[in-house]
Amino acid sequence: MERVTFAVRALAAFGIKDLLLTNAAGGINKNFRAGDFMVLTDHINLMGANPLRGAAIPGLPRFVDLTETYDIKLRELLFKAGKITRLKLQRGVYIAVSGPSYESPAEIRAFTKLGADAVGMSTVPEAIVARQCGLRVAAISCITNPAAGIGGKNLSHAEVLETAEKVKTLAAKLLKTFSQLYGDQ
Ligand code: HPA
């Protein structure tokens, strides 16, 4: 946890104010297709770990509020960038698990009931630390595959890489447009 979130602490120390996180995720929401992008509205931390565990850091809050982890203004900018690039962005709740195995179909059925739309193995620790440091956060998932038991076939890392490869130009366009809008604010 300390290692994965070190970069966020370093960026905050350099004076960065806003952070856009990206990840690959499995689609739980049945309306999602491989290659879709999902703007995170919230998350569920099922990693079994929290990056703020351990010794308190002087000057930083220990009990960090996560009521609005993903900043509404940055989310709006992402949707605006989606419109400009003619890319329909999904929105939803990201559930973070530790991995590195993929989930079982029973787990995915349970996550559906918990209110999750996509599942992945990252992002939440970074978002929590960013909020502790007072950064505004936005995050976007590339839905690389239907989650276990949803798409009727087995999961593989090769499929994740293949989908990411297919949509990388779209992703780059979206992020470039987002950064232009961000700069124009
Ligand atoms: N589960 C967890 N993490 C992932 C997945 C998935 O199906 N796809 C890409 N990252």
Side-chain angles (χ1 to χ4, degrees):
M1 281 294 127
E2 212 175 300
R3 281 172 71 181
V4 289
T5 56
F6 175 78
V8 176
R9 295 198 185 282
L11 290 170
F14 277 118
I16 266 99
K17 299 281 177 244
D18 299 312
L19 184 67
L20 175 64
L21 299 166
T22 64
N23 62 54
I28 296 178
N29 186 317
K30 295 227 164 71
N31 296 321
F32 292 2
R33 297 286 167 268
D36 281 358
F37 294 97
M38 180 190 90
V39 174
L40 272 67
T41 54
D42 203 349
H43 70 234
I44 299 169
N45 183 7
L46 224 65
M47 283 188 148
N50 188 295
L52 308 186
R53 261 188 206 165
I57 301 176
L60 290 182
R62 181 151 186 76
F63 304 104
V64 173
D65 176 37
L66 296 179
T67 312
E68 289 176 35
T69 310
Y70 303 95
D71 185 81
I72 189 74
K73 291 242 163 61
L74 294 178
R75 268 151 62 181
E76 279 166 7
L77 272 193
L78 276 170
F79 283 110
K80 212 167 161 184
K83 266 209 180 113
I84 293 170
T85 50
R86 295 171 192 276
L87 195 56
K88 186 188 169 328
L89 301 182
Q90 308 282 10
R91 72 187 70 210
V93 174
Y94 174 92
I95 189 162
V97 292
S98 74
S101 67
Y102 289 115
E103 302 68 42
S104 68
E107 285 168 343
I108 295 300
R109 284 196 299 276
F111 296 169
T112 307
K113 293 190 176 149
L114 290 179
D117 297 291
V119 57
M121 308 173 191
S122 68
T123 305
V124 166
E126 293 91 331
I128 292 172
V129 167
R131 292 305 299 143
Q132 184 189 39
C133 297
L135 306 185
R136 291 195 306 174
V137 179
I140 189 158
S141 293
C142 174
I143 306 298
T144 51
N145 57 283
I150 302 262
K153 61 176 186 167
N154 292 2
L155 271 58
S156 74
H157 185 52
E159 185 190 5
V160 170
L161 296 180
E162 196 182 305
T163 305
E165 182 67 30
K166 273 189 200 148
V167 296
K168 71 179 182 190
T169 311
L170 279 177
K173 261 194 200 148
L174 177 70
L175 298 185
K176 194 172 169 197
T177 308
F178 172 81
S179 60
Q180 279 161 352
L181 291 171
Y182 179 83
D184 292 344
Q185 289 181 102

